[in-house]
Every structure is written in C-alpha cells, then in structure tokens.
Amino acid sequence: MTLFEPKIVALLCNWCAYDGADAAGRARLDIPPHVREVRVMCSGQVSPGMVLKAFEAGADGVIVLGCQPGDCHYKEGNLHALKRIVLLRSVLNPTPVDPQRLQLDWVSAGQGHRYAQVVRDMVKRITALGPLPSGHFREER
Ligand code: FES
C-alpha cells in the first residue's frame, strides 16, 4: 500500500506571506515537504486561471496566502483575493472537486509560526481528502 503524499501549490504574496515562509525556514520550523511555493506580488494578483492551472498541473490543493487585512501593499489586493476565492470556491462546489482544496489565509512577514501552522493544517486537510479526482482538472495518464 502506498501512502498518499499530497502536492500543494502555495501562492505567496511577495511582501508578507513570502517573508513569513522565509521566517519559518530561518526558525527551522517543522514544515511539511508537500508544498511548492510560488511568489506573486500580491494575493490580489492571483486569478482563477492561475488556481485552475495549478490543479491542472497536478496540485491536489492550492493555498493562497496574502498580507493580513489592512496590510496589503496595494491597499485592497487581499480583499479582491478574498472575493475571487469565495467565488471560485462556490464554482467548485457543485463539482466533485471539494472546495476545501482551495484555501485563502493571511500571514504577515514576522509570522513564521503562523505560516508553518497554516501549511500543516492544509496538508492534513488534503491528506484526509485524498488525491484530486482524475479527469476534472487533469487528463488521465
Ligand atoms: Fe500582500 Fe497584497 S501585497 S496581499
């Protein structure tokens, strides 16, 4: 029996979440190896197409991490991200793809512990859900 090892894409805003991930690394916190981090300038830059592309490319889960509300360097980018992710999750809802596979959260630059916890929670959630059902975002191989 092979153990399911989830693949998770984390889209991290450059100004807060990416530094939070860096802080977690510098502190040598326990971070699961299942996450592929992609730096974006702002969580508000993350389009539905980027999220769907990550699923199509093989991700079992996608997490978008931006600055805490009120701290976005582009003023309201993270609020735009919130609206987009809520909409995208509602689009996923009637499909066999569980909306829990897409998460949005906030991590500031100094919150290495928060970053590590958010990632651990996501890995736990996706591990419980199992692999993304094939045929919805990716072709059977
Ligand atoms: Fe971080 Fe906008 S710059 S969410």
Side-chain angles (χ1 to χ4, degrees), residues 76-141:
E76 297 180 346
N78 51 3
L79 301 180
H80 292 303
L82 177 60
K83 289 178 194 166
R84 271 192 208 122
I85 298 299
V86 167
L87 179 65
L88 194 49
R89 289 186 72 177
S90 72
V91 169
L92 291 175
N93 200 29
T95 72
V97 179
D98 193 314
Q100 290 185 76
R101 291 182 185 277
L102 173 60
Q103 295 289 320
L104 172 70
D105 216 320
W106 320 121
V107 173
S108 69
Q111 291 184 309
H113 285 276
R114 178 165 170 70
Y115 174 81
Q117 189 59 55
V118 166
V119 167
R120 283 194 294 265
D121 289 348
M122 183 69 173
V123 169
K124 194 172 170 185
R125 187 178 307 116
I126 300 302
T127 300
L129 286 172
L132 182 72
S134 60
H136 296 289
F137 287 104
R138 57 182 112 137
E139 309 246 336
E140 298 247 12
R141 294 180 193 151

Side-chain angles (χ1 to χ4, degrees), residues 13-17 41-44 65-67 71-74 77-78:
C13 107
N14 179 62
W15 302 102
C16 293
M41 288 310 289
C42 174
S43 63
L65 296 176
C67 303
D71 289 346
C72 175
H73 286 230
Y74 305 97
N78 51 3

